Amino acid sequence: MAVLKLQSLKPRPISELSMKVGSIRCYVSSCRAVLLPRFGGPEVLQLRPDVPVPDLKPNEVLVRARAVSINPLDTRIRSGYGRSIFEPLLPLILGRDVSGEVAAVGASVKSLTVGQEVFGALHPTALRGTYTDYAILTEDELSPKPASLTHVEASAIPFAALTAWRALKCTARITEGQRLLVIGGGGAVGFSAIQIAVAAGCHVTTTCGNQSISRLIAAGAEQAVDYTSEDIESVIKEKFDAVLDTIGVPETERIGINLLNRGGHYMTLQVRGVIL
């Protein structure tokens, strides 16, 4: 996952800004944004100075972006993933994660206030993403940013962590004492999954590159297998109640299913090129 720091960027003059005293709400009519006008490589992305900012719905929050991250889903959509769905809707603003400050709130927003530092992630199918000076998310998609995290650090967390959470808590429904195998623990989703599972009282084994072993052991994994120098199936002897495969190629699918207990959950981020 890559992270784009926006703290050094100064937005262009706002063409229209109004504030209603007492309601703590303001509206920005346009701002800079990175648009995807057509599918292709990174060169197709365009920075435009005056992209419209839609009016806020009652449950929405306008966030002044300070940092955003680049997820694999963003690069896949840019390259043409979901073409039949997204092409009629071009140009799009990509981006799922954001960290910044609340600039305005919708009429029904109760938990967040203007000026508060927040971080969060949009739904995977959102059409107006976070590659913009001002992102729009619902109240439920945002949380207060911990003071211990910088905006750059915070922007790297939400989408990956939520992906891991949904897999482990909503699909596998992991419980204390269960055994979990994370294939590809060195990535953002895998690293999040290890921490979530350890916090739930699970025993975690993971595969990763040599450079990630110490970090994953420190995060709570009981065993970290270097897939570049060790045969995974020879080193790992036990079976698992759940397997999260963040790599999603035929070989890791075969290994994961072979190491799964009867009745266990095998979860992958990719199936035949489709992101789940």
Side-chain angles (χ1 to χ4, degrees):
M1 175 186 295
V3 176
L4 174 63
K5 184 177 180 182
L6 299 179
Q7 290 165 297
S8 61
L9 299 180
K10 295 182 179 179
R12 289 170 56 89
I14 297 171
S15 60
E16 179 183 340
L17 175 64
S18 62
M19 181 174 290
K20 184 177 179 181
V21 178
S23 67
I24 335 177
R25 289 189 294 163
C26 62
Y27 299 92
V28 178
S29 67
S30 66
C31 68
R32 296 179 309 168
V34 176
L35 293 187
L36 177 71
R38 65 185 187 281
F39 298 115
E43 71 281 355
V44 303
L45 296 173
Q46 297 179 359
L47 176 62
R48 296 188 184 176
D50 295 302
V51 175
V53 177
D55 291 336
L56 291 182
K57 296 176 182 177
N59 67 328
E60 290 181 335
V61 178
L62 185 69
V63 177
R64 169 68 175 102
R66 295 300 182 184
V68 302
S69 65
I70 302 172
N71 287 281
L73 178 59
D74 301 317
T75 61
R76 287 173 63 90
I77 293 176
R78 188 207 69 218
S79 299
Y81 171 76
R83 181 183 296 270
S84 61
I85 298 173
F86 294 118
E87 191 162 32
L89 303 172
L90 294 175
L92 299 175
I93 300 175
L94 298 177
R96 299 289 162 259
D97 292 313
V98 67
S99 182
E101 300 99 25
V102 174
V105 296
S108 66
V109 174
K110 303 298 182 185
S111 64
L112 301 172
T113 58
V114 172
Q116 187 174 6
E117 292 190 331
V118 293
F119 72 132
L122 288 162
H123 189 273
T125 59
L127 299 179
R128 189 184 191 280
T130 58
Y131 296 177
T132 174
D133 281 327
Y134 289 92
I136 295 177
L137 295 87
T138 65
E139 182 178 15
D140 291 341
E141 291 172 329
L142 290 166
S143 295
K145 182 184 76 66
S148 60
L149 297 178
T150 67
H151 285 297
V152 169
E153 291 168 337
S155 72
I157 296 173
F159 195 72
L162 286 170
T163 300
W165 178 273
R166 292 185 184 113
L168 300 184
K169 290 290 191 175
C170 301
T171 301
R173 300 182 182 276
I174 58 173
T175 57
E176 184 176 0
Q178 288 188 318
R179 306 195 70 84
L180 170 71
L181 171 63
V182 178
I183 300 176
V189 175
F191 188 55
S192 297
I194 291 169
Q195 296 174 81
I196 292 169
V198 169
C202 295
H203 304 280
V204 181
T205 296
T206 186
T207 69
C208 60
N210 179 66
Q211 73 280 2
S212 299
I213 290 177
S214 59
R215 181 167 63 100
L216 302 189
I217 294 296
E222 297 178 3
Q223 182 180 19
V225 179
D226 179 3
Y227 73 93
T228 66
S229 62
E230 299 178 281
D231 180 73
I232 296 173
E233 292 175 284
S234 297
V235 174
I236 299 176
K237 303 300 183 182
E238 65 269 351
K239 297 268 188 175
F240 298 89
D241 302 296
V243 174
L244 176 58
D245 180 2
T246 72
I247 308 301
V249 298
E251 178 64 9
T252 57
E253 179 180 342
R254 182 190 63 79
I255 293 172
I257 292 175
N258 285 344
L259 292 174
L260 195 63
N261 282 327
R262 181 179 292 274
H265 289 83
Y266 169 80
M267 300 159 289
T268 179
L269 301 188
Q270 298 187 48
V271 177
R272 296 176 185 172
V274 179
I275 292 182
L276 296 179

